[in-house]
Amino acid sequence: MFSPRPTRCSGRRQSSRVTGRKSLAGTPTGLLFSPRRTSLASRSTPTRVQSYSTSEALHFDVQTFGSSLPVKVMEALTMADADDQISVKVDESGWAWMVCGERLIIWKICQTAVAKLSVCKGLQLPTSEFVYYADLISISSPSPLETSTVQSISVMAVAPEGTARFWPSLAHEGNYAETVVDMGENLCNFVVAVRGGSFIVSSYKGQLMRLGADLSGKPLQRALQQGQGVLSGIGRRVSSLFGMLAPLTNNNLHSVLWVGETGCLYTLTTCGLSKWEVDEVTEHQVLSWDSSRALTESVADAIWVSRTTLYMNVVLRYFVRLDGLVVLAAAWHPSDSPCLAYFCLVTLLDNGNNISEELSVEVTKYNPPFQSEDALQAMRLLLPLASSPAAFLYNEELVFACSTGTGRGGLPEEKIPFNTPGDRLRGGGCCANLPVFFSQNSGLVAVVARESASMLPDTMEDSLCFSLAGAGPEATAMETPTRMEPVAQEDKTKLLKAAFLQFCRNDLVGAQDMTDELFPPEGDGDGEVGGELDLVVTRINLDLVDDYPASDPRWAESVPDESAGFPLTSLIILHQLEDKMKAHGCFMDFLLQVGLLDRLGQTTVRSSPMATRLLLCEHAEKLQAAMALKNHHAKHSELVNRAILIALRKSNATVSTSLTAADVFFREVSQISSVFECLLEEEERTLKENPVDSVKWAEVVLSVNTIIKDMLQAAGQYRDTKASLYRASESTTAEPEYIPWTASSGLGGVRTVIARQHEVILRDVYPHADSELRNGLIEQLTALLDVLLGGYVAQLTSLRPGRPGQQDHYITLEMEYTQRRSELLAPLLELGQYQWVAALAEKYCDFDILVQMCEQTDNQNRLQHYMAKFADQNFADFLFRWYMEKGKRGKLLSQPIAQHQQLASFLQSHEHLSWLHHIHVHDFSSAHKTLYGQANMETRYFVKKKILLALSKLTALASDMPEAVMKKQNTHQWTPHITT
């Protein structure tokens, strides 16, 4: 566990003594620790503390952790004087220790109701003129600490000056040995237990010593094996994170981390991060990474974007997670007014022997006014669960809950104060997957998310619980059958909803347990088309987006009795849609956190298989489209209402007297695309019934275009911005062809609708429109065509990897795409809408349209621009072939100098023209060879052969060919038989 000290010391030993004990900041300190005066309830799980600390917290409770403090801890607190600095560390193994002056107390956090049964030992620390901190103590055991006996636990304590005291067994307080760690004049700042019963001791200047003991218990020490030193490979030209121009002498060590599972030791200095692989006897440095520039630039970009000067401070600690190392950094800029300190969490990905260049920076919402570097260095970081992005920052006065930003879940960001009179946080750590802190007033406390702080919209909890009541007492009690008992798919849907509800109430452990029971990680069928997991997940998400708003009293008679949906609260349709969007986001977080998202396979959609993740994305896209349509409802109420009525009539939906047609239509979000065809029908009716010169005749087309365009663009924007949320994992096998709903064909399909609108605009409306209306129509049509062509590209991209059996389909689809693209853009080219044609043709690489446009406008400069822009796609070769096919050989051979090399390469397969290009560029030697070869190949026409030979001789004369070679060439000329 990482627990660096909040110090402001330079790391040099103080030479003079002062009154009172020195803190490592070099100033006297006298903090009186008030013992806990009230008895805290003893139970195995945290219980709520009725104190001031929860009064300002909306989403969290502060609860006691474990039983009452041991008697020795209470006595030490009572006897502490003003000169005694108190520091506490909580280890994930369940052990804790407190340094109070020069006394060390180690105890096992008791999870029973009887506190006196807990193990607690008091040890005397070596005398020191500096203040001890809990980071200078560590414990070790041959067996896991969680189950170790007090006899098997050894203790290492090191004074800041370097005096080390080693207890081979915690059971014998008086049996210890001492040595002095050779750090020169540098002060020690961390002690961590590693393999082989040994310990690593570090100094502020990055020195690392390995301490152990021989068979007699005598301490042994040696410098850590590290090649060229702790900072090898980092370089001196990097800028310090304490200031862009800070000297290397300020390169302090801020953090040391031991990861027992992998046997890796990490150190974080001002300028770099290093990594060692440590075994029982030896160690080997495998990584030394210059973190200064990468962290500085990443944090600067995340906060200020355009800043070039940044004063940063890497504050105190980083912590290992399953998906990376997390660095707590604080940044500020002196010229800002007000000058704020921005606390950021930077996630680094350890790839073994290197750190990935991709950094994830999460700027938290805790931005206090900048006071001093000292205040920033007092902030610490806890990450209770490696599988969760939840994070907690803390200092003596507060805890701030936030997220690392690397996952899709996380806690609401909130500050929890501990600054009432007499209270301070004296340390902490992670235990039982909870953030545990030592409060001066309350002892060990855990910060736990309140169940009422649900991620779902208001009152969704009650409605969901009511709907789950129909699943029977098991579901109501949120229990799952044993694995041996078969569970019907319908019941699994309800039980997974119950697990989802637990997750929304911040009970991740309970949700995970229930999910594992329903869908064991080793379960069969993952990834199959129509697998049970995919069907259940799809059903729940569909229930979310198509939910009946049962809490809306107008729907009371229309909600089916058997509905097990997620009733929402808002009486306003738009708010209901927004609530559904929030619920979908929570559901995606749930699937990710409980490990179901990467296990999803395929589902049948529109008679074709589709990745289930992409179907979930489609549901969210349709929610966005529905919100866009609802926004237009007020602006174009008559048009939208008529289209809605047509859609409801086609689906045979009934509208009760207490509801409007819009209520019924917007409830079933999954069918929102049915409105497109209905809008076109209403548009065509209006065009027929109104004269061409009427205002309504033009407005209806513009309105329909705007509505369809905004709906499709809202869906597409969500798909693009949230792509990472629905992206397949690297281990996912080949997925089926992806046909977005915005690229659906057939009756009522989006492609069909856009193609139909394309025809209506250009055939029926454009010829009768004035210039202003024409410009508006073409702009809208361009946006619609962008959606249509983008759908083809997405579909082709899903087939591009060349999957077995898909190559023929890919070729057929590509031909269809090319043909449709030409058919849609050619009419715009004929109308002279070059601006819009160019935009689409460039985006979708329609080279034929681009060449035609440049020829029509005689714009050679644009052609040259395209040859440079699309050089990697062989635009030049396409242009040359186009000239050949159109018989424009003069233009082919009159290319500018920049294209001569490409043209020469192209003409290698067209020798009947290449000699002309050679002559044009004065390469007479190559022209001679080409003509001579052409003449030798000519066997039918004597006159043609004679002309070619004559031209060959002329080019030879014009070349720089030596006269002797030319004569030799002429003597070898021969005249083959000419066929008559």
Side-chain angles (χ1 to χ4, degrees), residues 820-833:
R820 292 293 292 148
R821 184 182 63 192
S822 179
E823 291 173 352
L824 294 170
L825 298 186
L828 300 182
L829 183 61
E830 293 175 4
L831 295 174
Q833 297 291 343

Side-chain angles (χ1 to χ4, degrees), residues 388-692:
S388 169
F392 296 85
L393 312 184
Y394 74 99
N395 57 23
E396 288 190 342
E397 297 181 349
L398 62 89
V399 173
F400 186 82
C402 56
S403 170
T404 63
T406 53
R408 300 180 190 98
L411 298 175
E413 295 199 25
E414 186 173 12
K415 182 174 74 172
I416 304 150
F418 285 83
N419 56 359
T420 56
D423 197 15
R424 288 291 185 272
L425 294 182
R426 297 307 184 189
C430 297
C431 189
N433 295 328
L434 290 172
V436 179
F437 307 96
F438 193 94
S439 163
Q440 187 156 328
N441 283 353
S442 304
L444 290 175
V445 296
V447 174
V448 182
R450 288 180 178 173
E451 288 190 356
S452 58
S454 174
M455 294 177 282
L456 291 172
D458 297 340
T459 75
M460 195 174 193
E461 308 276 317
D462 296 338
S463 300
L464 177 55
C465 291
F466 177 79
S467 70
L468 290 174
E474 295 85 6
T476 305
M478 294 187 183
E479 298 175 354
T480 57
T482 64
R483 295 190 179 188
M484 300 300 294
E485 299 175 0
V487 182
Q489 186 182 114
E490 181 182 359
D491 292 336
K492 282 195 171 184
T493 301
K494 294 178 181 179
L495 290 171
L496 190 60
K497 285 182 180 180
F500 174 44
L501 177 60
Q502 284 183 280
F503 172 80
C504 292
R505 291 175 172 176
N506 296 296
D507 182 9
L508 180 59
V509 175
Q512 185 73 67
D513 291 343
M514 179 177 284
T515 302
D516 290 343
E517 288 292 330
L518 287 172
F519 300 101
E522 67 276 7
D524 298 330
D526 288 1
E528 297 179 357
V529 178
E532 187 175 39
L533 173 61
D534 297 277
L535 293 176
V536 169
V537 168
T538 301
R539 181 71 261 168
I540 293 177
N541 200 61
L542 194 63
D543 287 345
L544 286 174
V545 298
D546 286 349
D547 177 54
Y548 285 86
S551 58
D552 184 341
R554 300 173 304 147
W555 277 89
E557 300 177 0
S558 302
V559 179
D561 293 337
E562 68 276 8
S563 171
F566 296 77
L568 304 176
T569 61
S570 178
L571 300 178
I572 303 174
I573 294 175
L574 184 59
H575 289 176
Q576 291 171 349
L577 295 173
E578 291 171 347
D579 285 348
K580 289 182 177 183
M581 194 70 234
K582 294 176 184 176
H584 170 79
C586 293
F587 189 58
M588 292 300 299
D589 288 340
F590 164 71
L591 295 177
L592 172 70
Q593 298 296 342
V594 298
L596 292 182
L597 190 60
D598 288 339
R599 293 173 56 191
L600 295 178
Q602 305 173 16
T603 308
T604 301
V605 182
R606 295 181 288 275
S607 303
S608 300
M610 176 189 287
T612 304
R613 294 171 297 92
L614 299 180
L615 178 59
L616 300 180
C617 181
E618 177 176 310
H619 291 163
E621 292 172 22
K622 289 184 174 180
L623 276 168
Q624 295 292 330
M627 285 188 275
L629 177 61
K630 189 66 188 81
N631 286 328
H632 282 291
H633 195 189
K635 304 175 186 176
H636 311 287
S637 57
E638 182 180 357
L639 173 63
V640 175
N641 282 331
R642 286 180 178 273
I644 286 175
L645 289 173
I646 296 173
L648 294 178
R649 185 168 63 250
K650 289 183 176 182
S651 62
N652 297 319
T654 58
V655 182
S656 66
T657 56
S658 60
L659 298 172
T660 66
D663 289 325
V664 177
F665 178 78
F666 282 104
R667 193 275 306 172
E668 196 171 8
V669 175
S670 62
Q671 302 302 315
I672 198 70
S673 61
S674 63
V675 78
F676 295 142
E677 189 178 31
C678 302
L679 285 169
L680 263 61
E681 291 183 17
E682 180 60 21
E683 175 190 60
E684 292 177 358
R685 183 193 66 80
T686 304
L687 291 176
K688 290 179 182 179
E689 296 180 358
N690 292 275
V692 172

